[in-house]
């Protein structure tokens, strides 16, 4: 059920029976010379819409701009500062809880959002407002990604390229796949550490064109396989979460001090 396409009485009927909502989030940022800047939020929305179409749960409109300042050297990248992003997502989530939602899944397709979504989930959890968790599509199917790609790459690589080939193939600049591979880099965390310290902050410090991996390994067929596998994982998560009693999802109360405890 896509919220933006429904009337308020229909949504009232939904929250009378259900209390789960899905919020797709991503980014609008550079994804190399071959992919659109909306890659992340397009993937997140496509997965969220597909999973909620299959299950009947509520899906909100996407949040298309996230924490992306580490891509700022590339034209077109958009971002908001981390505290603003956290407060915005928290406010939107509390809006949902006002209408009867008590569990939320953030369908996220941008690594820069992860820590901040976890923080929002903790805030909502700690005050007993809602149980909200972050889900990343590629982290739900790591074995499959390793199986189909020799060099997957964490950003703008073959896994995201294949997904966009499946979702919106007309937006992939297929004549630039070799440029993306040859002008990018194979990501190596250890190569950028000095005596245990991470020494980089911005994407351009690792990759001249902002992407990693071998994009020429991507095909629409692989993208369809990844999309279906990730959708199945998301459907299973939603069904599991819906079955959990809310009191088991909320924080345990603090233990009362014993009779000999001094305050």
């Amino acid at each position: 059920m896509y919220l933006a396409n429904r009337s308020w009485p229909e949504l009232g009927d939904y929250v009378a029976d259900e209390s789960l909502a899905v919020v797709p989030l991503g980014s609008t940022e550079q994804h190399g010379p071959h992919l659109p800047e909306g890659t992340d939020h397009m993937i997140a929305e496509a997965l969220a819409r597909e999973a909620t179409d299959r299950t009947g749960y509520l899906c909100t409109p996407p949040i298309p701009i996230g924490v992306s300042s580490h891509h700022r050297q590339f034209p077109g990248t958009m971002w908001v500062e981390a505290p603003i992003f956290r407060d915005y997502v928290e406010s939107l989530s509390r809006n949902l809880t006002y209408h009867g939602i008590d569990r939320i899944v953030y369908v996220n397709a941008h690594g820069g959002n992860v820590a901040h979504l976890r923080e929002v989930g903790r805030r909502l959890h700690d005050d007993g407002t809602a149980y909200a968790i972050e889900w990343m599509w590629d982290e739900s199917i790591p074995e499959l990604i390793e199986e189909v790609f020799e060099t997957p790459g964490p950003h703008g690589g073959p896994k995201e390229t294949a997904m966009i080939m499946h979702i919106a193939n007309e937006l992939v600049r297929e004549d630039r796949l070799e440029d993306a591979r040859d002008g990018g880099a194979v990501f190596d965390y250890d190569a950028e550490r000095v005596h245990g310290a991470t020494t980089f902050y911005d994407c351009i410090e690792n990759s001249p064109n902002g992407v990693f991996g071998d994009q020429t390994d991507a095909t629409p067929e692989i993208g369809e396989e990844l999309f279906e596998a990730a959708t199945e994982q998301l459907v299973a998560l939603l069904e599991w979460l819906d079955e959990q009693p809310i009191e088991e999802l909320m924080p345990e109360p603090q233990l009362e001090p014993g009779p000999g405890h001094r305050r």
Side-chain angles (χ1 to χ4, degrees):
M1 173 182 283
Y2 187 54
L3 187 151
N5 291 346
R6 298 290 181 160
S7 67
W8 71 259
E10 292 168 334
L11 294 165
D13 291 341
Y14 176 84
V15 294
D17 297 324
E18 301 284 354
S19 62
L20 189 153
V22 174
V23 180
L25 308 96
S27 66
T28 300
E29 64 183 27
Q30 71 84 17
H31 275 79
H34 64 302
L35 289 179
E37 303 233 341
T39 289
D40 286 346
H41 73 75
M42 291 168 60
I43 292 173
E45 182 177 13
L47 288 167
R49 294 285 295 270
E50 182 65 25
T52 53
D53 282 349
R54 294 185 188 186
T55 58
Y57 295 121
L58 183 67
C59 180
T60 73
I63 297 175
I65 297 173
V67 182
S68 299
S69 62
H70 50 294
H71 294 286
R72 66 188 184 277
Q73 288 93 346
F74 297 93
T77 292
M78 305 183 73
W79 72 89
V80 294
E81 298 302 328
I84 295 171
F85 176 79
R86 291 192 295 266
D87 289 348
Y88 181 88
V89 176
E90 181 180 357
S91 181
L92 181 146
S93 300
R94 292 186 186 278
N95 160 204
L96 292 171
T97 66
Y98 176 84
H99 293 292
I101 298 299
D102 62 16
R103 56 203 81 192
I104 300 168
V105 174
Y106 301 122
V107 173
N108 177 39
H110 174 52
N113 294 340
V114 173
H116 310 294
L117 293 172
R118 289 284 299 168
E119 172 61 22
V120 171
R122 175 171 292 281
R123 293 180 190 177
L124 297 169
H125 181 260
D126 285 355
D127 67 14
T129 299
Y131 185 80
I133 53 176
E134 182 267 348
W135 179 85
M136 278 277 282
W137 72 271
D138 54 336
E139 293 182 359
S140 76
I141 52 170
E143 296 86 0
L144 177 58
I145 291 172
E146 290 296 327
E147 176 186 327
V148 297
F149 298 125
E150 185 175 347
T151 54
H155 178 75
K159 61 185 179 182
E160 290 184 326
T161 303
M163 286 286 272
I164 295 298
M165 283 178 168
H166 173 59
I167 295 167
N169 194 39
E170 71 280 4
L171 297 181
V172 179
R173 285 69 170 172
E174 295 196 35
D175 61 334
R176 303 297 304 276
L177 294 179
E178 291 186 3
D179 293 343
R181 178 195 63 195
D182 297 341
V186 175
F187 199 75
D188 184 355
Y189 283 98
D190 291 333
E192 301 299 333
R193 295 186 192 277
V194 177
H195 301 300
T198 301
T199 59
F200 62 91
Y201 287 97
D202 295 333
C203 179
I204 201 169
E205 296 170 9
N206 298 106
S207 173
N209 70 3
V211 293
F212 307 88
D214 187 352
Q215 292 77 9
T216 64
D217 286 345
T219 67
E221 292 74 22
I222 293 176
E224 182 177 11
E225 184 180 4
L226 298 178
F227 185 87
E228 180 61 28
T231 299
E232 289 178 359
Q233 290 292 317
L234 180 54
V235 165
L237 174 63
L238 299 179
E239 292 176 342
W240 170 84
L241 183 56
D242 188 43
E243 292 173 357
Q244 305 311 303
I246 190 62
E247 59 272 13
E248 293 187 10
L249 298 172
M250 288 294 101
E252 293 286 337
Q254 184 179 9
L255 295 176
E256 290 293 327
H261 178 78
R262 286 188 173 184
R263 292 189 179 276

